[in-house]
Amino acid sequence: MALVWITGARGFIGRHLAAHLADCGHQVAGIGHGAWAESEALAWGVRDWINGDIHASNLQALGRRVGMPKLIFHLAGGSSVGAAIAAPHEDFFRTVASTVHLMDWIRLESPETLSVVVSSAAVYGAGHNGAIRETAGGSPFSPYGYHKSMTEQICRSYGASYGLRTVVARLFSVYGTGLRKQLLWDFCSKLLCNDGPVQLGGTGDELRDWVHVRDVVRALWHIKDLASPEAVAINLGTAKATSVRQIAELVLSNWPSGRELAFSGKQRPGDPFSLVANCSQLAATGFEWQVPVATGIRDYVLWYLKQSGEVA
C-alpha cells in the first residue's frame, strides 16, 4: 500500500482516480478547492482533505497530517477552454502558479516523490491531420492550452535543475458518469429541456479521441513508473477518431424519445477540426483501453437520466 496525494481530488477525474486507488488498497489524501464533507470524501476514497490553494503552507499541513507521499497526482488546474478564455488570470493561477508551488515544495521537502502531472491535448493546437505524436509541434489557441504547455515546461525545468521525477499525461476527450459540463452534459440538457429539434455547434464532422474516465485513471496509475527528470509527455488517447455527429447519434440512440438533430455550421475560433492521439508510446508499455465509446455513452446517458429524475 502506498501513500498517494491527489491535487484537485474533488474534481471529476480526481474523484474517479481517488476511488480507483482506494479500491486498489492505497491510502489517498487530497488538496484542492471546495468544502468536502468527510463522509463524502471517504465515499470517494479520500481519507484526508484540505480545502485550499496548492501552496507550501497547505502542502506542509497535509504532510504533517498524513506523512510525505511516495507519489503525487497533480490534477489541480483549469479544466476548460471556455473558462480559461473568460478568466485567463484565474486559469493561470490555478494551472501554472499551482504547479510552480507544488514543484518547489517537492524540491524542498520531498525530493524523492514522483509526480504524474495532468496536461491536455490542447497543447497541440489546431491544424493537425490524423493521429498526433507527442513530438508534434503545435501552437495552442486558448489560454487554457498555453497554460498547460507552460506547466509541462515547469516540470522539465525542475527535472533539469533539481532532478525531480515527473511524467506528463496529455489527456484527450475525457468523459464518463459524473461529468457535468462539455458536449455530453450540454447536449443531454438540451434534450431534457425541450421536445423539438436540437442544434449543436460546428458541422458535426469534427473528430475527437474519446477516452472514458475509468480507463484514464488506470492509465494515470500505469504511467507513474515513467516519471523521470526529463518529464516525458505521454498521450492518453486511443487513436480512434469519433465525430461529434457519431457521439450525438449514440446519445440519441439511448435517449428515451426520438429527436431531430442539426448543426449550426459555426465553429469557435481556434477550435481544432481533428484532435486524435497517436498512442504508440502508451501502447508500448502494455496498457490497453477497455471501455468502448458506445458503452461509455450508453452509461453516461443512463446516469444523466437517473440523476435528473427521468428514470427510476
Side-chain angles (χ1 to χ4, degrees):
M1 181 182 75
L3 171 60
V4 180
W5 290 11
I6 303 174
T7 72
R10 191 169 171 269
F12 168 62
I13 299 175
R15 292 181 184 222
H16 284 274
L17 177 60
H20 173 71
L21 296 180
D23 287 345
C24 292
H26 302 294
Q27 180 182 348
V28 181
I31 180 172
H33 290 125
W36 208 1
E38 182 179 356
S39 58
E40 184 182 356
L42 283 171
W44 285 98
V46 179
R47 294 177 56 179
D48 291 273
W49 169 252
I50 285 185
N51 174 15
D53 295 330
I54 312 301
H55 60 64
S57 60
N58 285 330
L59 294 166
Q60 201 68 6
L62 188 60
R64 287 194 297 267
R65 279 163 54 170
V66 302
M68 295 302 185
K70 296 181 180 297
L71 175 64
I72 296 178
F73 290 93
H74 182 42
L75 277 65
S79 60
S80 75
V81 171
I85 290 175
H89 177 268
E90 182 178 348
D91 190 81
F92 178 90
F93 179 80
R94 288 176 176 265
T95 302
V96 182
S98 72
T99 304
V100 174
H101 282 297
L102 177 65
M103 290 293 123
D104 212 49
W105 180 83
I106 293 174
R107 173 181 75 88
L108 294 171
E109 303 294 340
S110 190
E112 296 304 312
T113 294
L114 304 180
S115 301
V116 179
V117 174
V118 168
S119 182
S120 167
V123 301
Y124 293 120
H128 298 277
N129 293 314
I132 306 170
R133 291 184 178 275
E134 289 89 348
T135 54
S139 179
F141 172 78
S142 69
Y144 176 81
Y146 275 106
H147 294 162
K148 292 296 187 184
S149 181
M150 293 169 71
T151 291
E152 295 187 12
Q153 293 299 324
I154 289 165
C155 294
R156 293 187 187 107
S157 74
Y158 272 82
S161 298
Y162 309 110
L164 300 192
R165 291 172 292 165
T166 303
V167 60
V168 172
R170 289 180 182 160
L171 304 186
F172 281 70
S173 296
V174 184
Y175 74 104
T177 58
L179 182 62
R180 297 175 181 269
K181 59 184 177 181
Q182 300 173 356
L183 174 64
L184 290 179
W185 177 262
D186 293 343
F187 186 35
C188 288
S189 298
K190 288 182 178 182
L191 290 170
L192 188 65
C193 291
N194 68 78
D195 297 325
V198 177
Q199 185 180 82
L200 297 176
T203 66
D205 298 323
E206 296 84 1
L207 301 174
R208 294 293 183 269
D209 193 330
W210 291 76
V211 287
H212 197 279
V213 68
R214 292 202 306 269
D215 278 339
V216 168
V217 299
R218 291 175 44 248
L220 289 173
W221 177 258
H222 183 80
I223 66 172
K224 69 185 185 307
D225 294 329
L226 300 178
S228 72
E230 288 74 31
V232 295
I234 305 293
N235 283 340
L236 296 196
T238 67
K240 295 178 181 178
T242 306
S243 71
V244 172
R245 185 183 304 276
Q246 288 174 304
I247 293 296
E249 289 173 348
L250 284 170
V251 171
L252 290 175
S253 70
N254 289 282
W255 200 258
S257 59
R259 205 68 56 86
E260 292 183 18
L261 174 66
F263 291 89
S264 69
K266 299 178 181 179
Q267 294 178 304
R268 292 187 307 182
D271 240 7
F273 175 79
S274 177
L275 207 55
V276 180
N278 178 306
C279 61
S280 57
Q281 282 199 86
L282 182 62
T285 68
F287 182 82
E288 295 181 355
W289 300 94
Q290 295 180 349
V291 183
V293 171
T295 301
I297 298 299
R298 180 202 65 199
D299 292 347
Y300 184 89
V301 173
L302 181 59
W303 166 81
Y304 181 92
L305 292 170
K306 284 184 176 179
Q307 66 82 38
S308 62
E310 293 301 303
V311 297

